Amino acid sequence: MGKKFEGWECSLQCSGNLSPQAHYPMRRLEEEGRDSEGKKVVLSVMGMSCAACAGSIEKAIKRLPGIREAVVDVLNHKAQVLYYPQMLHEQRIREAIEDAGFEAKVMEEDSKDTSTQICRIHVRGMTCTSCSSTIESALQSLHGVHKARVALTTEEAEVCYDPKIVTHNHFMSAIEETGFEAVLISTGEHITKIELQIDGIKNEQSLNVIERSLHELPGVETIDIYPDINKISITYKPYMTGPRTFIEVIESTGSGCFKAIIFPNDGGREAQRQEEINRFFKLFIWSLAFTIPVFLTSMVLMYIPGVKRVLDIKVVNMLNIGLLLRCEFATPVQFIIGRRFYVGAYKALRKGSANMDVLIALGTNAAYFYSLYVVERAASSRHFKGSDFFETSSMLISFILLGKYLEVLAKGKTSQAIAKLMNLTPETATLLTQDDEGNVVSERQIDSRLIQKEDVIKVVPGAKVASDGFVIWGQSHVNESMITGEAKPVAKRKGDMVIGGTLNENGVLHVKVTRVGSESALSQIVRLVESAQMAKAPVQKIADHISKYFVPMVIALSLSTWLSWFLAGKFHAYPKSWIPSSTNSFELALQFGISVMVIACPCALGLATPTAVMVGTGVGATQGVLIKGGQALENAHKVNCIVFDKTGTLTVGKPVVVTTKLLKKTSLSNFYEFAAAAEVNSEHPIAKAIVEHAKKIIEEEQNHPWPEARDFASVSGHGVKAIVLNKEIMVGNKKMMLDHNIAISAEAEETLAEAESLAQTGILVSLDGEVAGVLAVSDPLKPGAKEVISILNLMKIKSIMVTGDNWGTANSIARQAGIETVMAEALPETKATKIKELKV
């Protein structure tokens, strides 16, 4: 997806924890401010809409003399600056922010900001919203917890707490006491964890030597050793040390006999998810294998005369082969395959709550043990006739297992969106070693996970930027569409910020790393998506509240259903013809009671909304749209006006050749052979468009060998010229041709005028001083844009286009898309003002 309208779309993108400069760097800056002679000032900054805004403000502040450090937090609309008061006044910092186009005012330092942390815990064993509500209540009841929320779909708990009062160990204990398994993800203390595998370990003493060496490093918090698999787990402060330092220390210990690598990760959470999917699939298959015979003997084979006689053969008294087979096949389904429901029900009842497992256990047990009673009566009586419900219990368990399998399958698919975001970063990076004067001494390939702060990395054309940082050498264009949504490549030169995961298009860059791991822009985006998936929509909160009372209510309704039908049968309140010939009024009432219990499973009530939110936010993330949780989705139906930007949103976002007019007797392929040979040496977007179009015309291999261009020259703002196959070629605008005394025919003038009326750029191509043809280059409308606007019109949603482009181009694109209201030549702040006006 291309660039969205800054004042509208970016507000979605930057809500939550998107800012690459968010909470963690702020905290570090506060620590530095206390430990140095510098002074810290906190400013409230209004008007920021995305990470690019934060970058421009940070750049403007750092240009000032006397600035030691500056960090901008988009999420909280703040800027914290550490500066030397003898060189600079805080008023000058405020003015610099305002000069960058934003509103700023100095605010008092809020000492409470550092007293709150967020802990994330993975919770295993939840089956319904009753489980998540129980855990949420247990966490909320702890002293020092400000807010706790548990997401059933992501199987995570997020706790906002005061670290001075309570710790993550209390949360783990509280979750485990409710009967669920807890695995710590992060404590919110802004430390990073890495696992290393060490080869060359001969005994436990070797590990102890390595542990002592690592503990001496500054910034190392904890070290956990796993001698059985030669693994060592280290938590550390990333702004003080890093994994490459750990590996160097380990390999230098013990006379170089140890080798360390990042511990092979078999997928982590993804592997656990896949294991869960496989487990439910196997349970379902085994359950199905035992249930099918039960179903056949009770529902199908009894209507086949020959088979029916075999099934009706008496074994003991009235106990026949069919009933005995059903009992034998249903028993493993009930107690072995269905064991997980008993365990879940026990844990819930032990804590005084009732969940989905309680309903399943009650319903299936009622059906199974009544059927067992029928077996016992049939075996001990010569005249007893009764119907069993073995197929009810076994089929119910099979269907529920199928539902659980589909549920975990859906959860696994939605987590792929986050995996795709994380895969934007490259696997390797080129690390540069520099001398004291900044000259490159050497370079080597390293795992991108080994990058540390203050490293200098090299980014070649076509490669992805491995980590956030700023350019210290080189210039290029970087495609940031995967992060910002802006389709047009952004020019980068010395001092400019770059974002990890973005694509370097041309030119070599040397980048000094400023942010790694969880503080990078990409990690913040991933965190935003995870947070959005965890956030509860208003309607979901209602469903969760109902779920607390749902299970007891269903049990009461089930019992009252059975009792009312049983009493109605006893007092002959309905005709006897309603009772099947093989049953009695008690069995009929039991069937109705069990039916109410098993079909009223609360999973649909509790899972429908969170699953929809999870799928919506996940799919949105893969399409470049970051949605801030269920409330945004729930309010989407109220939208009556949508504002679009032009470049990259309604249009493709890059120029392409749309028409060609030949003015000389030459073939189209020859014409483009000459034009592309000259333009292939240029980095201009229009030049690239001409070369790409030429490849399609010639229809040869991707790396077509163009004729050699001699004496190539690029005339800035006009075009290029070169000698190709002994012919003088010029490709450029009208002014370039006139400057070189090349006559432009009336036909060429007419073609240029027509192109301009359609908001296209006219390009002239001359061969040996004579115009041979005219190209029209344009940023065309996206294939589906017109259809989208048409659908919105049918939905009575008004479409408005706001762009910084000129009125001619804007009106042309608006006509093609079917948009009536246009606002052109608008500055970013004008766009934001327009959005505010429309919201009123």
Side-chain angles (χ1 to χ4, degrees):
M1 183 171 284
K3 177 183 175 184
K4 284 80 181 174
F5 173 63
E6 286 88 339
W8 175 63
E9 181 65 15
C10 289
S11 64
L12 289 176
Q13 292 186 344
C14 296
S15 300
N17 296 327
L18 177 56
S19 168
Q21 297 91 352
H23 185 69
Y24 163 72
M26 288 284 191
R27 181 175 178 179
R28 179 168 61 87
L29 190 55
E30 288 167 4
E31 292 171 357
E32 290 180 357
R34 288 192 293 266
D35 298 336
S36 68
E37 59 180 347
K39 185 179 178 182
K40 188 188 78 172
V41 62
V42 182
L43 300 103
S44 170
V45 183
M46 303 307 295
M48 292 188 292
S49 60
C50 63
C53 300
S56 63
I57 294 171
E58 194 173 297
K59 189 176 178 181
I61 296 171
K62 286 182 177 178
R63 285 199 188 105
L64 299 173
I67 297 294
R68 177 174 172 179
E69 184 62 271
V71 175
V72 181
D73 182 354
V74 177
L75 171 61
N76 296 309
H77 304 286
K78 288 182 183 179
Q80 289 198 39
V81 185
L82 190 63
Y83 69 102
Y84 297 105
Q86 62 269 29
M87 298 178 66
L88 187 70
H89 192 270
E90 60 186 32
Q91 189 66 20
R92 182 69 190 92
I93 300 171
R94 184 183 67 79
E95 290 172 358
I97 297 173
E98 290 178 346
D99 290 342
F102 302 89
E103 296 178 19
K105 65 177 181 179
V106 178
M107 57 189 294
E108 295 296 324
E109 181 180 352
D110 187 359
S111 60
K112 294 181 181 179
D113 284 350
T114 58
S115 64
T116 300
Q117 292 179 357
I118 295 176
C119 177
R120 293 173 59 220
I121 300 170
H122 178 53
V123 184
R124 295 175 184 165
M126 292 190 293
T127 56
C128 64
T129 50
S130 178
C131 303
S132 58
S133 298
T134 301
I135 297 170
E136 210 167 86
S137 299
L139 292 171
Q140 198 73 56
S141 64
L142 294 174
H143 181 55
V145 172
H146 302 311
K147 184 180 180 182
R149 56 182 185 176
V150 181
L152 178 62
T153 47
T154 56
E155 296 179 335
E156 278 188 21
E158 190 176 82
V159 188
C160 181
Y161 69 104
D162 187 342
K164 296 174 185 175
I165 302 174
V166 68
T167 68
H168 65 274
N169 291 322
H170 294 96
F171 310 146
M172 304 279 281
S173 300
I175 293 170
E176 287 167 0
E177 283 175 10
T178 57
F180 301 92
E181 186 180 349
V183 180
L184 183 67
I185 300 174
S186 66
T187 62
E189 295 171 357
H190 309 297
I191 56 175
T192 303
K193 179 179 179 181
I194 192 165
E195 296 176 339
L196 300 175
Q197 180 174 299
I198 307 172
D199 295 328
I201 299 293
K202 295 178 181 177
N203 49 48
E204 207 167 308
Q205 187 178 355
S206 301
L207 283 171
N208 293 332
V209 171
I210 292 170
E211 184 180 7
R212 284 196 298 270
S213 300
L214 291 171
H215 264 304
E216 292 175 2
L217 293 173
V220 173
E221 294 288 305
T222 62
I223 299 175
D224 295 318
I225 295 175
Y226 305 88
D228 52 333
I229 53 175
N230 291 341
K231 185 177 84 170
I232 190 164
S233 178
I234 308 165
T235 57
Y236 62 96
K237 295 178 179 178
Y239 57 89
M240 297 180 70
T241 187
R244 206 169 64 253
T245 305
F246 303 149
I247 291 175
E248 289 170 358
V249 167
I250 292 169
E251 293 183 349
S252 64
T253 304
S255 304
C257 61
F258 303 127
K259 294 291 289 183
I261 59 170
I262 293 178
F263 194 81
N265 189 351
D266 296 327
R269 292 278 301 280
E270 188 58 36
Q272 292 173 8
R273 184 83 71 186
Q274 190 58 47
E275 183 184 342
E276 187 181 23
I277 290 170
N278 294 337
R279 184 172 72 253
F280 275 108
F281 180 72
K282 287 177 182 177
L283 282 172
F284 170 65
I285 292 299
W286 277 108
S287 180
L288 199 63
F290 284 96
T291 300
I292 288 174
V294 176
F295 172 75
L296 291 176
T297 55
S298 62
M299 300 287 188
V300 179
L301 299 180
M302 59 182 292
Y303 295 106
I304 303 174
V307 179
K308 185 179 186 300
R309 281 196 296 271
V310 175
L311 294 176
D312 287 341
I313 295 174
K314 302 294 188 291
V315 179
V316 178
N317 291 330
M318 298 300 291
L319 177 63
N320 57 39
I321 290 177
L323 181 58
L324 189 61
L325 284 173
R326 288 194 290 278
C327 180
E328 289 176 352
F329 279 106
T331 300
V333 175
Q334 184 71 31
F335 297 108
I336 300 175
I337 298 170
R339 178 180 177 273
R340 65 180 309 279
F341 301 117
Y342 286 99
V343 173
Y346 168 73
K347 288 179 179 179
L349 293 172
R350 192 182 63 180
K351 292 296 174 184
S353 63
N355 61 4
M356 168 182 158
D357 291 334
V358 173
L359 284 186
I360 296 168
L362 281 173
T364 56
N365 276 335
Y368 178 82
F369 283 105
Y370 175 77
S371 301
L372 210 58
Y373 162 75
V374 170
V375 171
E376 189 274 330
R377 286 291 309 275
S380 60
S381 172
R382 293 179 178 273
H383 308 288
F384 177 78
K385 286 184 179 181
S387 297
D388 63 280
F389 297 113
F390 284 124
E391 78 283 350
T392 302
S393 63
S394 55
M395 287 180 70
L396 177 62
I397 289 172
S398 296
F399 279 124
I400 288 171
L401 289 173
L402 175 61
K404 291 297 294 180
Y405 169 67
L406 295 175
E407 178 191 322
V408 295
L409 202 62
K411 286 192 221 173
K413 286 181 179 178
T414 54
S415 64
Q416 290 173 5
I418 293 174
K420 285 180 181 178
L421 285 174
M422 292 305 295
N423 288 338
L424 286 176
T425 52
E427 292 183 359
T428 60
T430 304
L431 179 68
L432 300 180
T433 305
Q434 296 179 310
D435 58 21
D436 295 337
E437 297 178 358
N439 299 315
V440 177
V441 177
S442 64
E443 61 179 64
R444 61 189 173 105
Q445 290 285 322
I446 63 167
D447 190 315
S448 61
R449 292 172 294 178
L450 297 178
I451 295 174
Q452 299 178 187
K453 284 194 174 185
E454 305 300 319
D455 280 348
V456 177
I457 57 175
K458 177 182 177 183
V459 188
V460 298
K464 289 181 179 179
V465 180
S467 193
D468 294 3
F470 63 91
V471 178
I472 61 171
W473 180 88
Q475 58 182 25
S476 181
H477 286 80
V478 176
N479 186 342
E480 297 182 342
S481 60
M482 62 284 292
I483 301 294
T484 64
E486 172 59 75
K488 188 178 180 181
V490 181
K492 300 291 181 182
R493 53 181 59 85
K494 187 175 179 180
D496 288 339
M497 299 295 294
V498 291
I499 303 171
T502 55
L503 183 67
N504 182 26
E505 295 207 336
N506 50 53
V508 178
L509 296 175
H510 291 180
V511 177
K512 189 164 189 176
V513 176
T514 56
R515 300 180 186 92
V516 294
S518 60
E519 34 172 327
S520 68
L522 193 58
S523 294
Q524 296 291 339
I525 292 173
V526 169
R527 190 69 200 97
L528 171 63
V529 176
E530 290 176 337
S531 180
Q533 290 181 341
M534 179 169 282
K536 291 181 180 179
V539 70
Q540 185 184 341
K541 292 176 183 176
I542 297 171
D544 287 354
H545 184 71
I546 294 171
S547 292
K548 291 179 182 179
Y549 310 101
F550 192 79
V551 175
M553 184 174 69
V554 166
I555 294 171
L557 282 173
S558 178
L559 289 172
S560 61
T561 301
W562 169 79
L563 186 62
S564 59
W565 276 94
F566 176 69
L567 292 175
K570 279 288 184 184
F571 294 104
H572 309 290
Y574 57 82
K576 284 189 176 181
S577 60
W578 287 14
I579 305 173
S581 58
S582 59
T583 62
N584 54 39
S585 60
F586 173 81
E587 292 174 355
L588 183 66
L590 184 63
Q591 281 184 335
F592 287 131
I594 292 172
S595 298
V596 170
M597 188 178 293
V598 297
I599 66 169
C601 174
C603 58
L605 182 69
L607 283 175
T609 302
T611 303
V613 170
M614 193 172 182
V615 172
T617 53
V619 172
T622 61
Q623 299 296 322
V625 179
L626 301 180
I627 302 167
K628 182 78 188 281
Q631 187 161 3
L633 288 171
E634 191 172 325
N635 291 332
H637 76 282
K638 300 176 183 177
V639 172
N640 56 20
C641 178
I642 296 180
V643 182
F644 295 92
D645 185 54
K646 180 182 72 68
T647 307
T649 302
L650 293 173
T651 65
V652 173
K654 65 177 184 178
V656 295
V657 177
V658 288
T659 58
T660 307
K661 177 84 170 182
L662 296 180
L663 303 175
K664 282 185 70 176
K665 289 185 178 180
T666 182
S667 67
L668 195 62
S669 59
N670 283 340
F671 173 79
Y672 272 104
E673 186 88 13
F674 284 110
E679 291 284 26
V680 75
N681 298 289
S682 173
E683 293 292 342
H684 197 280
I686 290 180
K688 290 183 177 180
I690 293 172
V691 173
E692 287 299 316
H693 191 69
K695 290 176 182 177
K696 295 176 184 176
I697 296 296
I698 297 172
E699 294 182 345
E700 288 192 13
E701 66 276 8
Q702 184 71 17
N703 297 317
H704 176 73
W706 304 109
E708 182 185 357
R710 294 182 290 107
D711 302 331
F712 173 82
S714 176
V715 183
S716 181
H718 297 296
V720 299
K721 59 182 180 177
I723 304 297
V724 179
L725 299 178
N726 298 320
K727 289 183 179 288
E728 186 182 15
I729 310 297
M730 285 193 190
V731 184
N733 58 19
K734 182 178 177 180
K735 190 172 188 308
M736 183 178 184
M737 300 299 157
L738 295 175
D739 288 346
H740 288 81
N741 299 317
I742 296 173
I744 302 173
S745 65
E747 190 177 2
E749 289 276 14
E750 187 181 327
T751 306
L752 285 174
E754 185 182 346
E756 288 174 7
S757 68
L758 295 172
Q760 299 168 354
T761 303
I763 303 294
L764 297 165
V765 180
S766 71
L767 300 177
D768 287 334
E770 186 179 350
V771 176
V774 182
L775 308 176
V777 179
S778 174
D779 181 5
L781 200 68
K782 281 184 177 177
K786 189 173 182 179
E787 183 183 358
V788 169
I789 301 300
S790 176
I791 292 170
L792 290 174
N793 289 337
L794 291 173
M795 295 169 66
K796 307 299 182 186
I797 297 175
K798 185 179 181 180
S799 298
I800 299 175
M801 187 177 80
V802 180
T803 177
D805 217 329
N806 63 71
W807 278 100
T809 303
N811 285 325
S812 175
I813 293 297
R815 279 196 303 271
Q816 294 176 50
I819 296 176
E820 295 179 359
T821 309
V822 181
M823 183 178 175
E825 299 177 4
L827 297 173
E829 54 267 29
T830 312
K831 295 178 181 180
T833 304
K834 182 66 177 176
I835 292 296
K836 289 176 183 176
E837 290 174 1
L838 291 168
K839 283 183 177 179
V840 176

